[in-house]
Amino acid sequence: MPSPTPPRQAAPPADLVLVGAVIGAIGVRGELRARSFTQSPLSLADYGALFDANGELVLTPKRARAVKDAVALAGPEVTSREAAEALRGTGLHVPRAALPPSPDADEIYVADLIGRAVLHVDGRALGHIQDVRNFGAGDLLEIETDGVRWLMPFSAENVPHIEAGAIHIDPPFGLIPGDTP
């Protein structure tokens, strides 16, 4: 008699932090090819169960190995290439409690930036961070100011200070929508 399918345990979505994404399949036995958003790519498998954005179990990694520009993950929930391919594009999340309590003093979890108020170093309120994007050349803050979304490189020069609930920015002139001389 075959063993029963493991339960698809759910995690509360509000408690989840994005740590990677499925970008394809490797082989015929359900190995996932994943892009890691963690500092050490192989640590993607160290946090335990990986969930989708709705809190549904995707994979409990049992094996992980480095592959070109990605991490190969295997676990009991995905057993065929077709099942792995069906997960392409799925974000991989872990409960916040699975992460180290706080990053180093000069680091911040990307998830903790979303929703923060954005203040110019001159004191002007500029809106809120809507997202953090990365198209390959570094992180970009997506900021919404008066209904207009714009992108700013996330660097120590542009973001000289981060505090609880807000970030202070000093972007190059002309980057903020509506900036005029």
Side-chain angles (χ1 to χ4, degrees), residues 8-14 16 50-58 91 93 95:
R8 306 227 17 116
Q9 303 165 351
L16 296 175
L50 299 170
F51 299 89
D52 68 14
N54 296 318
E56 294 297 318
L57 180 65
V58 173
H93 301 75

Side-chain angles (χ1 to χ4, degrees), residues 13-122:
D15 185 41
L16 296 175
V17 176
L18 182 67
V19 293
V22 178
I23 57 174
I26 297 175
V28 296
R29 295 194 174 142
E31 213 172 11
L32 298 178
R33 181 179 182 88
R35 177 172 293 120
S36 177
F37 303 148
T38 59
Q39 189 169 15
S40 170
L42 283 174
S43 69
L44 186 60
D46 295 341
Y47 302 118
L50 299 170
F51 299 89
D52 68 14
N54 296 318
E56 294 297 318
L57 180 65
V58 173
L59 187 76
T60 306
K62 300 298 181 193
R63 290 186 322 276
R65 62 187 173 92
V67 294
K68 185 179 177 183
D69 299 329
V71 176
L73 298 170
E77 296 82 4
V78 183
T79 58
S80 71
R81 180 176 187 84
E82 293 76 22
E85 284 291 348
L87 291 168
R88 184 187 297 262
T90 301
L92 300 172
H93 301 75
V94 297
R96 180 174 291 279
L99 297 172
S102 62
D104 294 335
D106 64 340
E107 295 178 338
I108 187 167
Y109 290 127
V110 168
D112 293 337
L113 288 171
I114 309 300
R116 281 195 189 216
V118 178
L119 306 171
H120 195 281
V121 291
D122 67 11

